[in-house]
Amino acid sequence: MTWLTAFKDKKIVVLGAGMTGLSCLRFLHEQGLSLVVNDSREMPFNNAEQLSSHQQRYPDCTFYFGQWQHTIIASADIVITSPGIDLDGEGISDHIAQNCQVIGDIELFCLVNNSLDKPMKMLAVTGSNGKSTVVSLLHYLGNKLNHHCVLAGNIGEPILNLLTENRSTESNFKIPDFVIVELSSFQLEALFSMQAIAATVLNLSDDHLDRHKTMSHYQKIKQKIYKQATMAVINRDDTATISNVFNQKTMSFGTNKPEQGQFGLAVINQQQTIMFGEQALVLTEKLALVGIHNYMNYMASLAMGVCAGWSLPDMVDNFNGFSGLVHRCQRVFSDDKIQWVNDSKATNVGATLAALDGLSPSLKDGQKLILIAGGDGKGSDFTPLTTAFKNNVYQLITLGKDSA
């Protein structure tokens, strides 16, 4: 049975009318399927004219806005939910039928991709921190090595856009050699059928517990990625990232000296070096991104690339063309004799610890580390920061909702 046969004559409800929900609408409409789009916002579109345009373009779709339509949701055979919607927290789960199939847009993509004669190859990355840096570096390296790679998932455009008819008929469109997908825990909740070449959980720290409630539940969701991949790339420094899939092939990275066929760090001639087994690859001082956490990101990217069959020497040769992502441990140049570092994307405890642990060893004699932090803690426990603040931070400046 093909995925399309399984979807025909089914009552399909798409929850959310943002980018993800509308990408589902476009794709399903092209397959001749009718559906309902439900959003709790009064007007998820910019204006009424935009809504009218969508109603005319998709006459077989019914739009319901302003509240969740519990009766319609209860009658659905298939619910496609956007990752930002907390089905439990918003009381939706209680109204979903027991035999209803609940999926996300990436699961829908995977169902279709798996049915193709030549499925697009996938590399999948999750973790509490560093996901966007790793997938962006992988994307950069793959294309530099003449592999046509695209970014999708929690970064870039909606993944279903790769399958829409208007995209496939564009004169310059080329089916990608690799889809590099960044996956949040929200997306993994509704993902079951991915067949990735390799997958990694980069690290795990206290994050999104306002939705996932406990670390064990959060870890369980993240670990789902390994069951949907041939190879697992694990972080030796974080036991919570180790695959629990029986007999799965693994490759690892870590801050210690690696064994044969693994990635790690070693000091050679008093210079810190990224290693592959006994093979020295590159001095860390030559890399554009600074900090131990970024050296881990480099190694994770190399491991994923090796799993994909990419040339290791060629990847290393192209490292310095990648300047990193904005707001992620970026040097801010100034003439005030202060080294400013913009790491405002460090929005959780783990990212803050990674930045402090990564940057503090680079301080020169007489330099002091001042941290400006604040915002919404999302229910996190800040206790793990106590030792890092005591050992590394000269002055702390707080601001925002949880500044106290």
Side-chain angles (χ1 to χ4, degrees):
M1 178 186 292
T2 67
W3 78 269
L4 186 57
T5 302
F7 274 53
K8 274 193 178 298
D9 302 319
K10 295 292 177 65
K11 294 179 181 178
I12 303 172
V13 175
V14 173
L15 298 180
M19 288 181 60
T20 299
L22 293 180
S23 70
C24 296
L25 166 61
R26 284 191 297 272
F27 175 73
L28 293 172
H29 173 75
E30 289 179 356
Q31 315 310 312
L33 299 172
S34 59
L35 61 143
V36 169
V37 174
N38 184 198
D39 197 302
S40 62
R41 293 171 292 177
E42 288 292 340
M43 178 50 70
F45 297 118
N46 293 329
N47 49 56
E49 288 75 19
Q50 195 174 50
L51 170 59
S52 178
S53 173
H54 277 79
Q55 288 172 328
Q56 293 175 26
R57 188 179 305 171
Y58 307 109
D60 292 333
C61 174
T62 306
F63 297 90
Y64 291 98
F65 299 148
Q67 62 182 2
W68 299 121
Q69 297 292 321
H70 295 153
T71 302
I72 292 174
I73 292 170
S75 67
D77 300 305
I78 299 170
V79 167
I80 305 176
T81 181
S82 297
I85 298 173
D86 184 352
L87 298 180
D88 291 329
E90 300 197 37
I92 299 172
S93 295
D94 294 338
H95 301 277
I96 296 177
Q98 188 173 2
N99 59 348
C100 177
Q101 184 179 4
V102 180
I103 64 173
D105 66 313
I106 299 176
E107 172 68 7
L108 177 54
F109 171 85
C110 291
L111 290 172
V112 179
N113 190 48
N114 295 345
S115 70
L116 299 177
D117 291 336
K118 292 185 178 180
M120 299 177 223
K121 300 173 184 177
M122 299 183 70
L123 297 171
V125 177
T126 193
S128 299
N129 302 295
K131 297 185 296 294
S132 294
T133 296
V134 170
V135 296
S136 298
L137 178 54
L138 266 174
H139 176 258
Y140 175 82
L141 293 174
N143 283 303
K144 277 292 184 180
L145 272 58
N146 295 317
H147 304 294
H148 177 41
C149 301
V150 298
L151 286 174
N154 205 38
I155 191 171
E157 62 180 320
I159 195 168
L160 284 171
N161 287 5
L162 295 172
L163 299 171
T164 55
E165 291 178 0
N166 63 328
R167 171 57 60 83
S168 61
T169 56
E170 290 176 4
S171 59
N172 62 345
F173 177 74
K174 178 186 175 185
I175 295 176
D177 299 320
F178 294 92
V179 179
I180 301 170
V181 58
E182 174 185 330
L183 295 170
S184 70
S185 56
F186 300 162
Q187 290 165 319
L188 281 165
E189 282 181 314
L191 179 61
F192 313 95
S193 305
M194 181 176 61
Q195 297 177 5
I197 294 173
T200 182
V201 180
L202 298 172
N203 45 63
L204 276 179
S205 62
D206 186 335
D207 198 15
H208 298 303
L209 297 192
D210 49 343
R211 175 158 165 174
H212 299 311
K213 308 307 180 187
T214 66
M215 272 298 295
S216 60
H217 185 221
Y218 178 52
Q219 179 182 355
K220 183 178 179 180
I221 293 170
K222 289 291 193 181
Q223 287 272 349
K224 284 180 63 179
I225 199 171
Y226 291 137
K227 298 177 182 178
Q228 303 175 65
T230 301
M231 286 198 67
V233 172
I234 64 173
N235 176 354
R236 290 195 304 276
D237 294 3
D238 190 341
T239 56
T241 74
I242 297 175
S243 172
N244 55 12
V245 178
F246 181 68
N247 277 347
Q248 186 171 38
K249 294 181 179 179
T250 63
M251 184 174 289
S252 71
F253 60 94
T255 55
N256 58 351
K257 188 175 181 181
E259 295 182 357
Q260 192 66 27
Q262 314 300 321
F263 290 91
L265 296 174
V267 176
I268 300 178
N269 298 325
Q270 298 183 323
Q271 294 178 303
Q272 191 177 53
T273 306
I274 289 181
M275 309 287 293
F276 182 57
E278 295 294 326
Q279 179 185 358
L281 298 177
V282 62
L283 301 180
T284 57
E285 67 179 25
K286 301 290 186 182
L287 299 171
L289 305 183
V290 298
I292 294 294
H293 59 307
N294 275 319
Y295 306 151
M296 296 284 275
N297 291 336
Y298 279 112
M299 291 186 285
S301 301
L302 289 177
M304 292 290 287
V306 169
C307 290
W310 301 353
S311 164
L312 180 56
D314 289 347
M315 284 192 285
V316 174
D317 287 346
N318 282 283
F319 265 172
N320 281 341
F322 180 73
S323 57
L325 303 179
V326 295
H327 309 304
R328 289 172 172 85
C329 268
Q330 280 193 311
R331 296 183 189 273
V332 180
F333 295 100
S334 66
D335 57 4
D336 56 9
K337 297 183 180 180
I338 297 174
Q339 175 60 71
W340 296 88
V341 177
N342 176 5
D343 196 36
S344 54
K345 273 289 186 179
T347 56
N348 57 50
V349 171
T352 305
L353 285 171
L356 294 176
D357 292 342
L359 292 172
S360 57
S362 66
L363 295 177
K364 298 178 181 178
D365 290 342
Q367 283 188 319
K368 296 179 174 64
L369 197 157
I370 299 173
L371 174 65
I372 304 173
D376 186 348
K378 298 179 291 185
S380 296
D381 176 12
F382 295 110
T383 306
L385 292 172
T386 304
T387 301
F389 283 179
K390 182 179 179 180
N391 294 339
N392 301 322
V393 178
Y394 172 74
Q395 183 178 357
L396 173 66
I397 303 171
T398 61
L399 47 88
K401 178 181 177 182
D402 289 329
S403 60

